[in-house]
């Protein structure tokens, strides 16, 4: 089992920045690729970004490319999502997940509880 706890969400004005963190415990963190997903009210959970086990590969959704950056620190068992130039449409609950590298929800076996990000216009 892998336990994941997200933090860093909050309320920010459009154009602002936030950095989300996801701390992992349990099984060896570096065994897993990590992903970030988000879910806005009334919408399906969607892929945001993914990073391979050693950080060598990253992939972001087109909607956040150039604004969001995913990174990880295996020594700290933590994955990050740096979010810049935030837009109101980025408002959602953000989830981190551990599993296989990919953009599909089914690629990931373990999920955090989520952290709310609200971007005001």
């Amino acid at each position: 089992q892998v336990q994941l706890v997200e933090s860093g969400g909050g309320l920010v004005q459009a154009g602002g920045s936030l950095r989300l963190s996801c701390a992992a415990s349990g099984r060896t963190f570096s065994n897993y690729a990590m992903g970030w997903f988000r879910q806005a009210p009334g919408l399906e959970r969607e892929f945001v970004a993914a990073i391979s086990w050693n950080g060598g590969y990253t992939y972001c959704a087109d909607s956040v490319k150039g604004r969001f950056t995913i990174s990880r620190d295996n020594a700290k068992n933590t994955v990050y999502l740096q979010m810049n130039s935030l837009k109101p449409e980025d408002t959602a609950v953000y989830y981190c997940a551990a599993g296989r590298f990919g953009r599909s929800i089914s690629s990931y076996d373990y999920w955090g509880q989520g952290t709310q990000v609200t971007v005001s216009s």
Side-chain angles (χ1 to χ4, degrees):
Q1 290 284 345
V2 176
Q3 292 78 43
L4 302 171
V5 179
E6 301 96 337
S7 61
L11 174 64
V12 63
Q13 289 188 331
S17 299
L18 283 175
R19 188 176 80 155
L20 304 183
S21 300
C22 174
S25 61
R27 290 190 174 179
T28 305
F29 177 69
S30 59
N31 285 349
Y32 298 93
M34 299 296 295
W36 285 97
F37 290 75
R38 66 187 182 186
Q39 188 167 17
L43 299 180
E44 294 185 350
R45 192 169 298 189
E46 66 173 2
F47 170 78
V48 175
I51 188 166
S52 61
W53 69 273
N54 64 351
Y57 295 96
T58 62
Y59 181 73
C60 288
D62 288 343
S63 59
V64 305
K65 201 166 291 183
R67 300 188 298 122
F68 291 12
T69 302
I70 188 171
S71 62
R72 68 189 296 162
D73 185 340
N74 285 349
K76 295 183 178 180
N77 289 351
T78 302
V79 63
Y80 305 97
L81 186 68
Q82 178 66 45
M83 305 186 295
N84 299 328
S85 302
L86 283 160
K87 305 174 181 180
E89 51 263 44
D90 294 318
T91 295
V93 177
Y94 283 70
Y95 299 89
C96 71
R100 293 177 290 111
F101 186 78
R103 61 179 300 146
S104 171
I105 289 175
S106 62
S107 295
Y108 297 89
D109 301 310
Y110 304 101
W111 293 82
Q113 293 301 305
T115 185
Q116 176 71 47
V117 171
T118 303
V119 184
S120 63
S121 57

